[in-house]
Amino acid sequence: MKYSRKREMVWEAVKQSNLHPTADMVYQQVRKKDPAISLATVYRNLNQLAENQMIRRIVVPGDSDHFDCAMMYHEHMICTKCGRVVDIWPEQPLTEKFQELSDAAVTGYDLVLYGLCRDCMEQEVQTD
């Protein structure tokens, strides 16, 4: 992949976020440095970064995709109260578990976990 200053800014915005930003969140961040950048440019660069495995695309059913720069193996959970995407770190990659359960070669999967993030759990405890 050829170097692009705009792609570098998009990648940095994802990398510096402590959230799992959407394309719109990345766009708002990058516009602070380059007001002329378009949302289409941000989408195109996020897609290229994901295709080249520099970031992960997190598909959120019924919502915008989110992006993650942490490429180590982990899964994601969507908070059913606030919509936040949370990292889940299993001890063993699930593909290994799937291999143990069947005679097929699992090459990939999409998994959507739902639950409450720590902040929402704490709010529920306080209101009880």
Side-chain angles (χ1 to χ4, degrees):
M1 182 168 56
K2 190 173 142 185
Y3 176 80
S4 159
R5 184 182 68 80
K6 292 181 191 261
R7 188 176 311 111
E8 180 73 21
M9 288 190 321
V10 168
W11 185 72
E12 285 293 328
V14 174
K15 192 168 87 167
Q16 292 173 358
S17 176
N18 60 353
L19 303 171
H20 296 83
T22 62
D24 191 53
M25 293 165 74
V26 171
Y27 173 64
Q28 297 302 328
Q29 189 64 31
V30 173
R31 272 186 33 159
K32 293 175 184 175
K33 295 179 182 176
D34 183 355
I37 196 164
S38 70
L39 183 57
T41 298
V42 170
Y43 270 105
R44 184 174 54 257
N45 283 290
L46 285 169
N47 287 331
Q48 288 175 347
L49 290 166
E51 287 168 9
N52 285 280
Q53 299 180 358
M54 294 179 69
I55 61 174
R56 284 178 65 183
R57 176 187 313 275
I58 306 163
V59 177
V60 179
D63 197 5
S64 300
D65 290 351
H66 291 248
F67 297 90
D68 189 357
C69 68
M71 298 304 290
M72 299 81 61
Y73 171 75
H74 67 287
E75 300 298 338
H76 295 97
M77 182 195 76
I78 302 163
C79 180
T80 55
K81 187 171 182 182
C82 71
R84 183 171 153 193
V85 178
V86 179
D87 290 327
I88 303 290
W89 299 90
E91 291 180 21
Q92 179 183 17
L94 296 180
T95 49
E96 293 176 16
K97 285 286 191 196
F98 296 147
Q99 299 296 89
E100 295 170 6
L101 299 175
S102 71
D103 293 333
V106 176
T107 59
Y109 62 91
D110 287 319
L111 175 68
V112 180
L113 299 169
Y114 296 95
L116 295 176
C117 68
R118 184 180 316 262
D119 292 342
C120 290
M121 283 191 313
E122 289 174 3
Q123 286 177 0
E124 283 202 359
V125 168
Q126 291 174 0
T127 58
D128 287 343

